[in-house]
Amino acid sequence: PPPANARLLAATLSVIGQPRGVDQGHNPTCQAARAISLWSLNDVGYLLELIARAAGENEVVMHFEGDTIRSADLPAGLAGELHTELDAVSLVLTPHLDRIYMEMSRRTIGRQGDGHKWVNPEFHGWWVYRGFASLVDPATEALQDAEGFVRRFHAAYHPEYNGGRDLVYAQPCGVVSVSASGDFVGWHAVSIQRVARDPAGAWRVYFFNPNRDKGQNWGHGIVTSTSNNGEWEGESSLPFEQFLMRLYVFHYKRSELGDEESVPAQMVAAILDGIADSWAGERDWISRGRG
């Protein structure tokens, strides 16, 4: 076999050249795979520093709200035993990233709100927008201000409601994993790459899914596309409204929000119905409408 350094160098060049080619394999480490992809897009220098530190010292050091976190000092994260069918960069970084992300999450326990609000900017980098919206109350797992959530996502990401702004930096977000019948399975980390019209003229969300199987049935006719709808290499996509029916947390830039009230009420109601008919059908709704 080639020397380890040669394999790692080749994998590093591959990740930088194909940032949406990373995947989590059979590991519960979507956060780590997404982070590697995002850094290869948004902060290559930082990614190279992490790779060098992990390969040379078997440690990754990050900071959370001013405190230093060292992976070498932490217990295993979600992946107690790492399945090794990964690229060399992921093999080197994932054990450290998994531990650090879990430690950051532990430090948000007891706060009011979803922990991703604080963890994602600290873990991923300065380019993660500080505005944050969550559809699910973490304490009760009930849905909160669902209409406001739908309107805000339009005002943040849809060019017809955000003043025609394109996304500058790909952003982390969370979607609901569901079965082919639309039943709730769990929470999953993806990243929004861009919002654009597809060849047929429909608005679509193009996103990075760290799952190896990127073409998935998300229930009730929502099937992710990987080709023939304007996708770039490694992207998945869905019509804007369908993606929103599976979204539960996202970041946004407060200073660039469009007019939330301009989103048609009929469109908002259709999206809320799609959420209610699927993964949220058995959940309590703190508020479906505003307030």
Side-chain angles (χ1 to χ4, degrees), residues 23 45 84 140 157 169 225 237 266 287:
D23 69 65
T84 57
T140 63
Y157 284 91
Y169 296 102
S225 169
S237 79
Q266 184 177 2
S287 173

Side-chain angles (χ1 to χ4, degrees), residues 238-250:
L238 281 171
F240 191 93
E241 293 77 14
Q242 290 187 358
F243 182 81
L244 187 41
M245 290 178 189
R246 298 295 181 264
L247 184 70
Y248 82 98
V249 294
F250 66 90

Side-chain angles (χ1 to χ4, degrees), residues 19-24 30 33-34 37 175 177 188-193 206-216 218 224-226 234-237 243:
R20 294 172 295 275
V22 184
D23 69 65
Q24 67 193 85
C30 53
R34 178 182 67 180
S37 172
V175 297
S177 294
H188 184 49
V190 304
S191 58
I192 300 172
Q193 304 289 301
Y206 295 89
F207 60 98
F208 167 72
N209 184 352
N211 275 348
R212 182 162 293 177
D213 178 16
K214 297 178 184 294
Q216 300 170 330
W218 287 4
T224 61
S225 169
T226 59
E235 283 183 336
S236 300
S237 79
F243 182 81

Side-chain angles (χ1 to χ4, degrees), residues 17-90:
Q18 296 181 319
R20 294 172 295 275
V22 184
D23 69 65
Q24 67 193 85
H26 299 293
N27 301 293
T29 53
C30 53
Q31 302 283 4
R34 178 182 67 180
I36 294 170
S37 172
L38 284 170
W39 290 323
S40 68
L41 284 167
N42 295 346
D43 202 342
V44 173
Y46 184 60
L47 174 61
L48 295 176
E49 172 67 22
L50 292 178
I51 294 171
R53 183 71 179 261
E57 302 179 32
N58 195 29
E59 180 182 62
V60 165
V61 177
M62 291 187 179
H63 297 86
F64 183 76
E65 298 177 344
D67 293 335
T68 300
I69 300 178
R70 297 179 179 274
S71 62
D73 297 337
L74 300 174
L78 287 174
E81 181 178 346
L82 193 71
H83 290 244
T84 57
E85 68 296 337
L86 299 172
D87 64 275
V89 168
S90 295

Side-chain angles (χ1 to χ4, degrees), residues 16-176:
I16 294 173
Q18 296 181 319
R20 294 172 295 275
V22 184
D23 69 65
Q24 67 193 85
H26 299 293
N27 301 293
T29 53
C30 53
Q31 302 283 4
R34 178 182 67 180
I36 294 170
S37 172
L38 284 170
W39 290 323
S40 68
L41 284 167
N42 295 346
D43 202 342
V44 173
Y46 184 60
L47 174 61
L48 295 176
E49 172 67 22
L50 292 178
I51 294 171
R53 183 71 179 261
E57 302 179 32
N58 195 29
E59 180 182 62
V60 165
V61 177
M62 291 187 179
H63 297 86
F64 183 76
E65 298 177 344
D67 293 335
T68 300
I69 300 178
R70 297 179 179 274
S71 62
D73 297 337
L74 300 174
L78 287 174
E81 181 178 346
L82 193 71
H83 290 244
T84 57
E85 68 296 337
L86 299 172
D87 64 275
V89 168
S90 295
L91 281 174
V92 168
L93 285 182
T94 298
H96 304 284
L97 301 180
D98 186 32
R99 294 178 179 188
I100 289 176
Y101 197 92
M102 287 300 297
E103 175 61 22
M104 289 184 179
S105 298
R106 280 191 286 268
R107 296 188 183 205
T108 68
I109 293 175
R111 299 184 184 184
Q112 185 174 3
D114 191 298
H116 296 97
K117 174 180 179 180
W118 300 280
V119 173
N120 282 340
E122 295 279 349
F123 183 75
H124 292 100
W126 60 268
W127 37 265
V128 176
Y129 297 146
R130 268 33 181 193
F132 183 78
S134 175
L135 179 59
V136 179
D137 174 41
T140 63
E141 295 199 348
L143 275 67
Q144 56 189 357
D145 190 16
E147 179 182 336
F149 182 87
V150 170
R151 289 184 177 277
R152 180 145 299 186
F153 187 69
H154 278 81
Y157 284 91
H158 198 302
E160 291 186 350
Y161 303 100
N162 73 356
R165 294 184 175 91
D166 292 326
L167 189 61
V168 177
Y169 296 102
Q171 292 292 310
C173 68
V175 297
V176 181

Side-chain angles (χ1 to χ4, degrees), residues 246-266:
R246 298 295 181 264
L247 184 70
Y248 82 98
V249 294
F250 66 90
H251 294 265
Y252 61 91
K253 197 170 185 178
R254 293 188 181 95
S255 62
E256 295 184 356
L257 273 179
D259 181 9
E260 298 179 14
E261 300 306 319
S262 68
V263 184
Q266 184 177 2

